[in-house]
Amino acid sequence: MEEFDTSYLAWILYKLFYGIDKEIAKKKERSYVEIDFGNKIINMSGDTDYNFGPGWSHSIRKKYENYLEKVPSEYEDLYNTQLSRCVKLYKSVLNISFMPQTGNLQSAKKGIGNDRLDTFIWALNSYYIDETSLLFNNSTFNNTSYLKEYLDLFKTEQKEETIYNYCYKIYGIESHELVDELIMHGKEAIDSPEKVIAYMNRAYRFWCQKLVYIKKRMECNIDILTDNEQTIILQSVEDAENELNKWFET
């Protein structure tokens, strides 16, 4: 079964978001597009940003549910409702982005931090400032060079600024403050109710900013889509925005 991050809807979003209209291919049940850069071709596919699914190796959602059972009773309804909204937004246009299939970066994201976006961004920043190379743990020798060349496309004159460039171009996130928070918390374990709550609230802020960027793309780039694709994306964005607007409701 096709996963949400490579579904028909997902490819409509990527077409709008990144302005890329290329033939979609498929390999081992995962669809992708080929992107040329320099003298090389890299396969780009989809990825789920925040994983609030039922869990793959460490039962992510169940772990968060267990911690939230420990919050004071007066806050229990609010935080459990927010977790349910995270689960709904988990499969929405606000929670999927492009990621290289070549080099197996998606598996690195899963392995480094149990598929946490903040941990991935921390590891990515660590690479850009020459601290670690954790991102290449799941890549073959040949594909590592491809992946490094791709990641180096985002480099800026000041290497400390590179992560902001990546987060803007891939996630549409303009806030340096939010990126800094993701980096800071990405190296920490989620091991208490307070950290689950903070993690959900950062996801909420991430989705809010991504919504703003998608709307900008709809204003200036909507003509890249067919009439049917426009109808689908407009409805999907509206559905996600309606869910976001309920964030503080119980």
Side-chain angles (χ1 to χ4, degrees), residues 24-80:
I24 300 170
K26 180 173 281 192
K27 181 179 181 181
K28 295 182 179 179
E29 303 304 317
R30 292 283 296 176
S31 51
Y32 65 92
V33 293
E34 294 183 344
I35 304 295
D36 300 307
F37 66 97
N39 297 317
K40 296 184 178 180
I41 296 175
I42 194 167
N43 295 344
M44 296 294 295
S45 190
D47 179 64
T48 298
D49 298 329
Y50 277 89
N51 192 338
F52 286 98
W56 55 285
S57 65
H58 301 297
S59 300
I60 298 170
R61 188 195 303 171
K62 188 63 179 175
K63 174 182 176 181
Y64 299 157
E65 289 171 347
N66 289 340
Y67 277 121
L68 290 180
E69 290 176 358
K70 300 179 181 180
V71 301
S73 56
E74 61 266 34
Y75 301 114
E76 187 176 354
D77 286 346
L78 174 61
Y79 294 134
N80 278 298

Side-chain angles (χ1 to χ4, degrees), residues 63-201:
K63 174 182 176 181
Y64 299 157
E65 289 171 347
N66 289 340
Y67 277 121
L68 290 180
E69 290 176 358
K70 300 179 181 180
V71 301
S73 56
E74 61 266 34
Y75 301 114
E76 187 176 354
D77 286 346
L78 174 61
Y79 294 134
N80 278 298
T81 299
Q82 287 181 342
L83 180 58
S84 71
R85 301 210 192 290
C86 288
V87 172
K88 289 181 181 179
L89 288 161
Y90 159 63
K91 290 190 176 182
S92 80
V93 292
L94 304 182
N95 197 44
I96 50 176
S97 304
F98 251 1
M99 184 171 280
Q101 190 179 68
T102 305
N104 209 10
L105 195 58
Q106 188 181 53
S107 291
K109 178 172 174 264
K110 286 184 176 181
I112 293 169
N114 202 18
D115 213 10
R116 282 173 49 189
L117 178 72
D118 56 354
T119 303
F120 172 72
I121 290 177
W122 163 77
L124 186 61
N125 183 61
S126 296
Y127 166 70
Y128 282 134
I129 61 175
D130 303 321
E131 288 187 351
T132 67
S133 299
L134 295 172
L135 298 173
F136 310 108
N137 286 352
N138 293 77
S139 181
T140 65
F141 174 79
N142 290 332
N143 283 340
T144 294
S145 63
Y146 282 73
L147 188 53
K148 283 184 176 180
E149 285 195 38
Y150 165 78
L151 293 174
D152 288 351
L153 292 174
F154 300 90
K155 283 190 173 180
T156 58
E157 289 186 7
Q158 299 295 322
K159 61 184 178 182
E160 294 82 4
E161 300 289 317
T162 302
I163 191 64
Y164 304 132
N165 188 42
Y166 183 96
C167 287
Y168 176 70
K169 289 182 177 176
I170 297 299
Y171 302 121
I173 304 305
E174 297 185 74
S175 169
H176 289 195
E177 179 185 359
L178 177 57
V179 174
D180 288 342
E181 283 190 36
L182 293 172
I183 294 169
M184 180 174 64
H185 293 286
K187 58 187 175 183
E188 299 177 351
I190 297 179
D191 54 6
S192 69
E194 292 77 14
K195 288 186 178 180
V196 175
I197 293 162
Y199 184 68
M200 291 192 300
N201 283 319

